[in-house]
Amino acid sequence: MSQLDILMVVLRVAFGAFIPICFIAIGVWMERRGAGFIQDRSGPNRCNIFGFRAGGLVQNLADGVKLIFKEDIIAGHIQHKFYFVLAPLLVFFTALVSFAVIPFADTLVLGGKSYIMQTIPLDIGILWFLACTGFAVYGIILAGWSSHNKYGILGGLRSAAQVISYEIPMGLALVSLLVVYGTVNLSEIARFQGQLLFGFIPMWGVILQPLGVVIFIVAAFAETNRTPFDFAEGESEIVAGFHIEYSSMKFGMFFLGEYVAMFASSAIIVTLFFGGYQIPWLATETLVAYGQPIAIVLMLLLPVITYYFNKWIRKNNVSHYHRPNDPRVREANVYIKIFWVLTAAVELILLTLVVLNPSADGTRIFVVLLQMVSFLLKTTVMCFVYVWVRWTLPRFRYDQLQKLGWQVLLPMSLANIFITSAVVVALS
């Protein structure tokens, strides 16, 4: 194995491990800021380090310190302490591993060698994802059972029933999607969506399977225990449910696992239905062929975007009342300088990699970086949809949950399979 091979393996593993973990901070920040905006109140805007609030991100650091140094209590009535400790680890790591098969860019060709842009390049990627997400429920069941608490046991039972109810329509929605794609390989699925329907419509899953995307997204909300499907931890009736006996970082692992699962779920929705890393009307071959002009256009647009973004920061990062030597203005000035430095760095990379010394390898690296940015932007938007729904819809009643799963989504997914199969056979 050459040094380049080792480097590519390290980079893929680093992306698959660190990006979901780093996104926890962004997800929590997005949750709080989104909740504050939707509820017409301030989000996190006080916690700071030497006056720097980072738009509320410092609050996440304060919460992390609080959880780490909190007293870790295991109640005396808990007999199965091994399973009690194992449960939060199971929830977190299954969510993290489920992301490992999702492609974040097209295959990179360097020096005649092909490198698949997945942490774990498996041909059965979608089956791996379903297996990992289905296994995560065991962590919740173990947490409820090992707590020896009636509320915890109720939360575990609710989660098990919920998974049974919603994994079936989710799997059936995937069946109709796989009939269209003809493969379970996530890289090939993402590559398929780079084509154009009728010559001008991107062949994304949301276009080819408009009913399937609704079924899958609703089931994904239920699988991640997000509102309005958070019955496993319903505070109003079972007082936090399966994690009622947890404290300190054990509770923190459940908390982190929820946001990693949200990120992984958003990533699989983007990969299956919204083109994955594909940029609309710009397939990989097109990007490679026109890499230099695209890089020049980006170099011209980037300073304009940075200018208006910094203008927005300067306008909004001020105190709501007059303060001499306003510290928020000083903070904004520092951020503006940082963004200009980052912009200059990106401009320099584009200039040296693609514009001044264009080569096949440099252009392909540029295309992969561009596709990674596209993938992360789409995933972030999908994560915001999770936040949007949580702070907009109330929790369903439990009978409504089961009715939606068995009497609405299941018949819809079966009908979708028959309709999709008939259309595919007729067109073939």
Side-chain angles (χ1 to χ4, degrees):
M1 183 179 288
S2 66
Q3 291 183 346
L4 180 59
D5 295 338
I6 297 172
L7 177 63
M8 292 305 300
V9 170
V10 171
L11 289 177
R12 289 186 317 198
V13 172
F15 187 94
F18 292 116
I19 291 297
I21 293 175
C22 292
F23 200 86
I24 293 170
I26 299 174
V28 176
W29 172 83
M30 189 187 300
E31 187 92 70
R32 286 171 161 163
R33 300 296 291 190
F37 176 77
I38 292 170
Q39 297 175 347
D40 193 22
R41 61 176 176 81
S42 297
N45 63 352
R46 290 292 184 273
C47 197
N48 65 85
I49 299 176
F50 301 114
F52 291 95
R53 301 168 300 126
L57 278 170
V58 177
Q59 183 66 51
N60 295 344
L61 180 62
D63 289 339
V65 172
K66 178 190 73 173
L67 286 172
I68 290 170
F69 287 98
K70 251 188 160 183
E71 184 179 2
D72 188 9
I73 299 172
I74 299 180
H77 67 270
I78 294 173
Q79 300 174 6
H80 303 283
K81 294 184 179 179
F82 172 77
Y83 299 110
F84 184 79
V85 174
L86 177 65
L89 298 175
L90 203 59
V91 170
F92 177 77
F93 283 108
T94 50
L96 187 63
V97 171
S98 66
F99 177 76
V101 294
I102 298 175
F104 46 85
D106 205 349
T107 301
L108 176 62
V109 180
L110 292 177
K113 289 186 177 182
S114 298
Y115 300 96
I116 300 174
M117 293 292 102
Q118 292 171 261
T119 305
I120 304 176
L122 290 176
D123 291 333
I124 55 169
I126 188 61
L127 300 180
W128 172 280
F129 181 86
L130 290 175
C132 289
T133 53
F135 196 73
V137 72
Y138 286 102
I140 297 176
I141 294 171
L142 274 178
W145 170 75
S146 63
S147 294
H148 288 271
N149 182 296
K150 62 181 179 182
Y151 297 121
I153 292 173
L154 282 172
L157 291 174
R158 282 185 173 193
S159 183
Q162 188 168 306
V163 166
I164 293 170
S165 302
Y166 283 84
E167 274 200 349
I168 296 172
M170 175 185 276
L172 293 176
L174 280 176
V175 169
S176 58
L177 193 68
L178 298 179
V179 168
V180 176
Y181 292 144
T183 179
V184 296
N185 187 306
L186 288 172
S187 291
E188 293 180 12
I189 288 173
R191 203 171 295 119
F192 181 95
Q193 296 175 82
Q195 304 174 73
L196 295 176
L197 185 65
F198 306 124
F200 65 95
I201 302 175
M203 291 182 68
W204 289 3
V206 68
I207 303 294
L208 303 176
Q209 282 288 296
L211 183 58
V213 67
V214 174
I215 297 169
F216 190 90
I217 289 177
V218 172
F221 270 87
E223 289 286 305
T224 52
N225 287 309
R226 294 280 299 183
T227 306
F229 300 98
D230 58 336
F231 290 91
E233 51 183 297
E235 293 90 348
S236 58
E237 64 268 16
I238 56 173
V239 200
F242 66 95
H243 59 67
I244 188 171
E245 294 288 353
Y246 286 86
S247 62
S248 187
M249 276 308 295
K250 292 189 183 69
F251 167 77
M253 292 298 284
F254 282 119
F255 189 70
L256 301 180
E258 177 182 335
Y259 283 94
V260 172
M262 185 176 80
F263 178 78
S265 180
S266 299
I268 196 68
I269 290 170
V270 164
T271 302
L272 294 175
F273 295 102
F274 294 97
Y277 52 77
Q278 298 284 0
I279 302 172
W281 301 287
L282 293 173
T284 303
E285 295 76 15
T286 307
L287 289 171
V288 171
Y290 298 97
Q292 192 174 27
I294 290 172
I296 293 172
V297 171
L298 284 176
M299 289 181 68
L300 294 175
L301 287 177
L302 199 56
V304 177
I305 295 171
T306 303
Y307 170 77
Y308 282 103
F309 183 65
N310 286 339
K311 190 176 180 181
W312 177 82
I313 289 177
R314 194 183 298 278
K315 178 183 176 182
N316 290 277
N317 207 69
V318 294
S319 299
H320 296 291
Y321 54 92
H322 175 70
R323 299 172 69 181
N325 298 321
D326 191 345
R328 295 194 177 185
V329 173
R330 294 200 303 271
E331 181 187 6
N333 291 332
V334 172
Y335 296 149
I336 288 170
K337 292 176 183 177
I338 290 173
F339 281 117
W340 277 120
V341 169
L342 291 175
T343 300
V346 173
E347 295 271 315
L348 185 61
I349 291 171
L350 292 175
L351 191 65
T352 55
L353 189 66
V354 185
V355 179
L356 292 182
N357 187 26
S359 64
D361 288 349
T363 303
R364 290 186 179 278
I365 292 172
F366 164 67
V367 169
V368 165
L369 293 174
L370 207 57
Q371 290 176 336
M372 290 167 64
V373 171
S374 172
F375 172 77
L376 291 175
L377 283 176
K378 291 180 185 179
T379 306
T380 303
V381 171
M382 190 63 222
C383 286
F384 176 74
V385 173
Y386 272 86
V387 174
W388 187 7
V389 170
R390 175 175 181 178
W391 299 103
T392 304
L393 298 180
R395 185 186 302 127
F396 298 148
R397 291 200 316 265
Y398 193 73
D399 61 313
Q400 292 173 332
L401 165 85
Q402 296 296 344
K403 184 176 181 179
L404 177 64
W406 293 104
Q407 297 184 19
V408 179
L409 294 184
L410 182 58
M412 284 173 60
S413 57
L414 289 171
N416 192 39
I417 291 175
F418 288 119
I419 294 169
T420 302
S421 302
V423 171
V424 169
V425 170
L427 292 178
S428 62

